[in-house]
Amino acid sequence: PGTLLVGLNPEISGIATDGTNLSANLPITTPVGWNPADEIVIEGGSAGGGPTLGTGLGRSNRAAAAAALEFVERASADLERRVAECERRLDRAAIGARDYTSCVADALDQYASTLESRILELPPPFRGVAATIRQAARQVRVARTVTAARGAVRTAVAEIRKAIALVRADEPEVARIQVRQGNAIASALQSVETKLAKAVGL
């Protein structure tokens, strides 16, 4: 609080010229109420005690986490549909084992890109998820054995599980939703890992 005046101050004597010390010509003023004490207002509370502090954005945080969960679940379902189509092509002998793993790798790449498109909506521990999935896709694409292909995806699942363990949120409900986001990603990858067993020609 206070007043700021910008303009000619008649109390400053003299004319500014090169070498003039303007600060020496300024009047000494001590505004009343200078630097008043801050006032902190905490609203709300519970019947059992005083007010509680939180983010102040609880409802929007929960809504954002729920929206991100819905997005992750849709993307995960899409991954499983893509891999199922790879399986159908393999079952019809339309593709061989090598093409099958390449098809699965394409599905994983697409999954990574989809997650990456909204990665900032996920909690910080999940920010590297897309890169982890993309690395698994590269390894599946060049795998020479079923074991190597499945191992690449298992490694990605393990990284996702580590990220889930790092989830922290001010509100327990938000944290639970974020854990569900991670679990949805891990479950989708586990499904892919299981289905890779069909690449018996590797």
Side-chain angles (χ1 to χ4, degrees), residues 3-159:
T3 303
L4 171 65
L5 298 177
V6 179
L8 180 64
N9 187 343
E11 294 183 26
I12 298 179
S13 61
I15 299 174
T17 59
D18 288 342
T20 300
N21 185 343
L22 291 179
S23 63
N25 294 327
L26 290 174
I28 298 174
T29 58
T30 306
V32 177
W34 180 259
N35 195 20
D38 294 326
E39 179 182 1
I40 300 174
V41 179
I42 302 174
E43 297 180 354
S46 60
T52 57
L53 291 175
T55 61
L57 300 171
R59 290 180 182 172
S60 62
N61 278 352
R62 285 193 292 274
L69 173 61
E70 185 180 339
F71 163 73
V72 167
E73 288 175 338
R74 280 197 313 270
S76 299
D78 188 54
L79 169 65
E80 295 195 39
R81 279 193 298 273
R82 288 173 183 272
V83 173
E85 177 55 32
C86 295
E87 279 189 299
R88 282 191 289 273
R89 293 173 64 194
L90 181 65
D91 291 341
R92 294 194 306 264
I95 56 176
R98 178 66 61 189
D99 291 330
Y100 171 69
T101 54
S102 182
C103 183
V104 171
D106 288 343
L108 287 169
D109 270 331
Q110 180 60 49
Y111 185 47
S113 295
T114 302
L115 292 177
E116 198 169 47
S117 70
R118 291 174 61 178
I119 203 71
L120 293 180
E121 296 175 29
L122 300 179
F126 296 163
R127 302 288 163 83
V129 162
T132 298
I133 295 170
R134 201 163 270 124
Q135 180 178 1
R138 283 194 297 270
Q139 292 173 340
V140 167
R141 197 180 305 278
V142 300
R144 295 185 177 182
T145 65
V146 173
T147 302
R150 295 181 71 179
V153 180
R154 270 197 301 269
T155 299
V157 172
E159 290 301 313

Side-chain angles (χ1 to χ4, degrees), residues 176-197:
R176 283 192 293 272
I177 295 171
Q178 291 174 341
V179 166
R180 287 175 61 193
Q181 295 168 5
N183 285 335
I185 297 169
S187 295
L189 293 177
Q190 283 176 327
S191 174
V192 171
E193 186 267 327
T194 300
K195 291 175 179 178
L196 277 168

